[in-house]
Amino acid sequence: NSVGIGVLLILIVSNLWQLARDYRRHVPGSRLRARMVSVLVMVAITPLVGLYIFSFEFINRGIDNWLNVDVEKGLADALELGRTALDSENLFRLDQVRAFAERLGEVKRDDLVATLGDLRKGSDALKITVYGANKEILAITSREPAALEYPSDEVLLQLRSQREYFSVEPHPGGDYRTHAAVVIDGAPTGEGFEFVEASFPVEPRLGTLAN
């Protein structure tokens, strides 16, 4: 487009320059030619300017008003909705782990493994782990092969200050997992239970929206 406009301008300027030169030299027919060019310019430009102004105003004020969709606000609302859905998922899972901690506060060490198995089977938890003092893993139950690892310092710090922890984290398989941990209160004396941690699957569609 730029090249085409440049060539057109060059042709117009060169022809006008030639017309002006012929007009000054009184070349036969130059006056008539100049008058014809002036009339044609007026006839062409007048409706063109009107059409341009009408089209510009029509597109900018007319169609924009008809299709006035605030995309940024829509995206912000969708983001807020996704966050609300994740927060609701987190709170639901955290309530489940709170119930786990309450139940575990009533069992003894000998019944710990069996109780964990019952808790996992009665929920959709992927893994439930009970931790004791000195970074000791007292019991674990899992639907899939699970690595024996102690929670990070961030988790422990939040457990000490708020007595519970939850987060949504990506999983190597491409999906998301909700992790929640709650301090176990009221455990029998000497049992040494400190807290229970569980992981849950996040609904695939919710994980897609999270992405």
Side-chain angles (χ1 to χ4, degrees):
N1 290 337
S2 299
V3 173
I5 292 175
V7 173
L8 182 61
L9 288 176
I10 292 174
L11 291 175
I12 292 175
V13 171
S14 63
N15 277 275
L16 288 177
W17 180 79
Q18 183 179 0
L19 177 61
R21 185 186 61 181
D22 293 344
Y23 188 85
R24 287 196 302 268
R25 293 179 179 179
H26 303 287
V27 175
S30 60
R31 291 180 179 273
L32 178 61
R33 183 181 172 192
R35 290 177 183 177
M36 292 180 62
V37 169
S38 300
V39 171
L40 288 175
V41 168
M42 292 297 296
V43 170
I45 289 182
T46 301
L48 185 63
V49 170
L51 181 62
Y52 172 78
I53 294 176
F54 171 77
S55 301
F56 184 81
E57 293 296 324
F58 178 76
I59 291 175
N60 281 275
R61 295 187 179 181
I63 296 180
D64 283 355
N65 288 335
W66 300 342
L67 306 177
N68 187 17
V69 179
D70 192 341
V71 177
E72 183 176 359
K73 186 176 184 302
L75 291 175
D77 291 344
L79 180 60
E80 182 64 25
L81 180 61
R83 287 174 174 170
T84 302
L86 285 176
D87 289 343
S88 177
E89 174 81 5
N90 288 340
L91 292 176
F92 174 68
R93 299 307 187 186
L94 187 57
D95 285 340
Q96 284 186 290
V97 181
R98 287 169 180 163
F100 294 168
E102 184 177 356
R103 176 70 180 88
L104 291 170
E106 302 172 353
V107 303
K108 296 183 178 181
R109 179 74 67 91
D110 295 339
D111 301 326
L112 182 58
V113 175
T115 302
L116 277 189
D118 293 339
L119 291 175
R120 184 178 60 80
K121 292 176 182 177
S123 66
D124 56 348
L126 297 173
K127 183 178 70 171
I128 305 176
T129 310
V130 174
Y131 297 92
N134 300 320
K135 297 185 177 182
E136 182 183 7
I137 298 177
L138 302 180
I140 182 173
T141 176
S142 178
R143 293 184 182 180
E144 54 191 16
L148 298 178
E149 54 184 2
Y150 202 72
S152 64
D153 292 338
E154 177 187 358
V155 176
L156 298 178
L157 181 62
Q158 187 166 335
L159 282 173
R160 292 191 185 100
S161 61
Q162 302 180 16
R163 305 190 66 78
E164 57 188 28
Y165 168 87
F166 67 86
S167 67
V168 178
E169 301 174 2
H171 191 260
D175 54 355
Y176 282 79
R177 300 286 172 87
T178 298
H179 299 274
V182 175
V183 172
I184 300 174
D185 292 322
T189 303
E191 296 300 336
F193 302 165
E194 282 201 352
F195 63 94
V196 55
E197 182 186 39
S199 61
F200 303 86
V202 174
E203 182 183 353
R205 175 161 177 78
L206 188 58
T208 301
L209 292 176
N211 281 327

